[in-house]
Amino acid sequence: MIILDGRKISQRVLTELGKKIKAKKMRLNLAIVSVGQNKVSQNYLRQKRLACEKTGIGFKNHAFPANITEARLKREIGRIGQDKNVSGLVVQLPLPKNLSTVDVLNSIPPHKDPDCLTAVNSGKFTLGQGEILPPVVGAVGKLFKEYKIKT
């Protein structure tokens, strides 16, 4: 049995990515939309912030209360998505039960959807037409390549 060490690989990937961003003098900014105070989500937010710091990507969490209406949240996502300084926009999941995850995710502008969770980007990926890989797919592929696992 092989034990895959994803942490070691992820640290190397982040370091390499940070060097590429710096060499190309890119100014990238990640906007996160979080709703409510889910403790597990808070841990993921912390990890995303640390990854951004390590790579030189700006990070801003736009936190909203759990009782926000879906219409208001979608308007806020639209506003954040229009910001020219925002390179990518992620909605932190899970959302409170009063919100439709699909509808909220689909309010992210597809060209700013690094997780490929909008219907547009998910559909493109499914059809083999996506411009980027969903992060989980890319990470699993990296693990397979690193450990020489054949698919």
Side-chain angles (χ1 to χ4, degrees):
M1 176 169 70
I2 299 173
I3 297 177
L4 307 178
D5 185 356
R7 285 182 197 255
K8 181 179 170 185
I9 296 168
S10 71
Q11 291 307 310
R12 190 175 69 242
V13 168
L14 290 175
T15 299
E16 291 169 4
L17 182 59
K19 288 178 184 176
K20 287 179 184 177
I21 290 169
K22 188 174 182 179
K24 292 183 178 185
K25 298 180 181 173
M26 298 173 80
R27 293 180 188 230
L28 301 174
N29 293 291
L30 179 65
I32 304 286
V33 169
S34 62
V35 182
Q37 293 293 319
N38 182 299
K39 290 185 187 212
V40 174
S41 290
Q42 296 303 315
N43 287 332
Y44 280 110
L45 286 171
R46 190 170 25 265
Q47 293 302 315
K48 289 174 185 177
R49 181 180 48 78
L50 291 172
C52 284
E53 287 173 4
K54 186 164 184 123
T55 56
I57 296 172
F59 178 90
K60 182 167 183 187
N61 180 30
H62 299 265
F64 297 97
N67 65 351
I68 190 170
T69 66
E70 187 170 314
R72 170 97 193 275
L73 181 60
K74 288 164 60 176
R75 279 194 308 272
E76 292 294 331
I77 290 169
R79 181 186 59 75
I80 296 164
Q82 289 177 4
D83 185 339
K84 290 181 171 86
N85 294 316
V86 171
S87 312
L89 197 163
V90 172
V91 172
Q92 184 63 47
L93 300 176
L95 291 172
K97 293 180 184 195
N98 61 310
L99 302 172
S100 166
T101 298
V102 170
D103 290 341
V104 170
L105 290 174
N106 282 329
S107 67
I108 299 171
H111 66 284
K112 292 191 179 185
D113 173 26
D115 281 342
C116 298
L117 293 177
T118 61
V120 169
N121 289 335
S122 177
K124 285 181 179 180
F125 171 71
T126 301
L127 295 172
Q129 300 171 352
E131 295 174 28
I132 63 170
L133 285 177
V136 172
V137 174
V140 170
K142 186 77 170 168
L143 277 171
F144 280 15
K145 183 177 178 183
E146 191 74 24
Y147 286 95
K148 297 176 177 64
I149 296 171
K150 296 183 184 195
T151 57

